[in-house]
Amino acid sequence: MAKRHQEHQTLSEVLKNFVSDNKLEKGLDKVAVRDVWENIMGPAITKYTQNIKLERDTLFVQLTSSVLREELSYGKQKIIDNLNEALGKELIKKLVLR
């Protein structure tokens, strides 16, 4: 019986390798952005959020309140910085509020 050399890896390393080998990062990033938006912006703003979509490096957020959209537009860069910090990488470069 031949002996095999087995390399020990943690479960997180195995999952990271699986995600990168199968090119699943973009899909997971899209899901993570939705979760982070809800956590960072809080329930008051999430209540008025209809749709969140990440395309390339642009985050599109559809809001039901024009007043809230106007208020958030003044702090776009701060929102982008907070979301990227929570995501742990520079994923969002532009924020479009609809």
Side-chain angles (χ1 to χ4, degrees), residues 26-73:
K26 289 182 182 180
L28 291 175
D29 287 341
K30 289 178 182 182
V31 172
V33 165
R34 289 183 188 141
D35 293 339
V36 168
W37 175 267
E38 291 175 7
N39 290 337
I40 295 294
M41 301 310 284
I45 293 175
T46 302
K47 182 171 76 171
Y48 294 102
T49 303
Q50 234 179 4
N51 193 13
I52 301 171
K53 189 161 107 179
L54 180 66
E55 288 185 11
R56 296 188 185 138
D57 59 354
T58 304
L59 181 64
F60 296 93
V61 179
Q62 188 173 2
L63 299 168
T64 58
S65 169
S66 59
V67 175
L68 179 61
R69 181 174 40 250
E70 186 68 26
E71 287 293 319
L72 292 179
S73 69

Side-chain angles (χ1 to χ4, degrees), residues 8-26:
H8 296 286
Q9 293 181 332
T10 63
L11 184 58
S12 65
E13 291 171 341
V14 172
L15 288 173
K16 284 179 187 177
N17 290 337
F18 178 78
V19 168
S20 65
D21 291 346
N22 293 299
K23 297 179 175 44
L24 301 174
E25 292 98 355
K26 289 182 182 180

